[in-house]
Amino acid sequence: MLTNTTFPIKPTTASGFLPLLSRWWIYLAMGAAILALDWVSGPYLMFPVFFVIPIALSAWFYTAPCTIALTLLLPLGRVVIAAYIQQHTPPMYAVINGLIRVAVLGFIAYLVRRTARQTRELEKEVTLLEGILHICMFCKRIRDEDRGWEPLEGYISRKSEADFSHGLCPECAQKHYGDVLDRSRSR
């Protein structure tokens, strides 16, 4: 069966947990949970690598200001935990590590936002026709889902964003209008 789909599936129309990703507090809660896990685990287990999860999701599904805020606040929270709460890292080193995290997370957020933008632009341009098309070998009409036959141009225009204009190739012009062309050339 022929289907008309766009690639990829739009996150705003998907069901399940994806509509939640359009709320800023989800990303803040994810970041807070990762910081809490980092604090509870003590100085020997650290979880800043998981900062990528809320930042990447925010960059893909939400706004740039939220992503920027997370990129700055999560490493800052890690600096506070390392230097002032757990006191296992000198503040200068904690700040340097925090700046490195901000740079890396900012670069990841930039790449994810750029990829999301490009994907959305491609979604607008790409419409796929899939499956087997049943086409008449003589008149070139296509059998549709209702088992009716319609012209190729109408079917493709209805199922995609393609439009048609008609012309005449030289072979068909000679085959169908050869006598007219020969007379016009001889004059």
Side-chain angles (χ1 to χ4, degrees):
M1 181 170 179
L2 185 71
T3 58
N4 181 12
T5 60
T6 57
F7 177 81
I9 296 171
K10 296 178 185 175
T12 55
T13 60
S15 60
F17 69 93
L18 289 178
L20 285 176
L21 297 177
S22 65
R23 293 177 171 73
W24 63 270
W25 56 268
I26 292 292
Y27 305 109
L28 188 62
M30 284 181 196
I34 293 167
L35 284 173
L37 181 64
D38 201 20
W39 176 47
V40 170
S41 66
Y44 302 109
L45 296 176
M46 292 183 262
F47 296 94
V49 71
F50 292 119
F51 292 167
V52 170
I53 295 168
I55 289 173
L57 289 173
S58 172
W60 188 277
F61 293 108
Y62 204 58
T63 62
C66 179
T67 305
I68 292 168
L70 286 171
T71 301
L72 296 173
L73 291 176
L74 292 177
L76 176 64
R78 178 66 195 129
V79 166
V80 169
I81 289 171
Y84 300 107
I85 295 175
Q86 294 174 344
Q87 297 180 348
H88 70 278
T89 304
M92 180 180 73
Y93 295 118
V95 169
I96 291 171
N97 283 331
L99 291 174
I100 292 169
R101 287 184 185 110
V102 166
V104 170
L105 292 171
F107 182 65
I108 290 170
Y110 165 75
L111 292 176
V112 170
R113 280 200 72 73
R114 189 175 92 183
T115 303
R117 181 179 40 86
Q118 289 173 342
T119 301
R120 288 183 188 106
E121 288 172 4
L122 284 174
E123 276 180 347
K124 294 176 185 175
E125 293 180 22
V126 176
T127 301
L128 299 177
L129 292 174
E130 297 177 335
I132 296 174
L133 292 176
H134 299 280
I135 188 167
C136 175
M137 69 176 128
F138 292 108
C139 68
K140 304 299 184 210
R141 290 193 299 170
I142 294 180
R143 188 172 66 200
D144 62 15
E145 297 84 14
D146 300 327
R147 315 258 325 147
W149 294 88
E150 67 178 288
L152 173 75
E153 297 91 343
Y155 185 85
I156 292 177
S157 293
R158 188 170 50 87
K159 293 290 189 174
S160 70
E161 294 184 17
D163 290 321
F164 289 87
S165 69
H166 291 86
L168 191 60
C169 72
E171 291 84 13
C172 288
Q174 185 62 40
K175 178 180 175 184
H176 297 285
Y177 301 104
D179 56 337
V180 175
L181 291 173
D182 291 339
R183 277 187 269 157
S184 67
R185 286 185 196 141
S186 64
R187 290 184 186 167

